[in-house]
Amino acid sequence: QGRALTLDMGRATLEIFDETQAETIDQIEAGRRISGQVRFALQVPDLQAAVERLLAQGATLVHPPVVTPWGDYNVRLQDPDGLQVTLFQVKGNQ
């Protein structure tokens, strides 16, 4: 619903959102506007295994996994310092 710039960097993307787009993504992934100014989104080959590893290292679950409108599986976590991280597994890789 807002504006975003997505830069494909090979094995990663850099996404820069305006406030409206940040609100949209937060609604999809967490059900409300919750992330701060910076949030990382990382693609993982096995979402459940990655979540378990991060939780074991002190991360907290912000919102359980969701299927996004574009079909990926996303989960939102927060590290012990308060930084929010989205892990996502691309549709078809589950």
Side-chain angles (χ1 to χ4, degrees), residues 48-80:
Q48 187 58 42
V51 168
E52 290 172 7
R53 280 194 309 272
L54 288 177
L55 292 174
Q57 295 298 315
T60 56
L61 186 66
V62 173
H63 195 277
V66 298
V67 177
T68 64
W70 48 93
D72 291 345
Y73 297 92
N74 289 27
V75 64
R76 182 77 65 90
L77 300 142
Q78 185 167 305
D79 77 9

Side-chain angles (χ1 to χ4, degrees), residues 33-45:
R33 182 70 173 105
I34 191 170
S35 66
Q37 292 294 99
V38 175
R39 175 183 58 86
F40 287 102
L42 305 169
Q43 181 178 346
V44 296

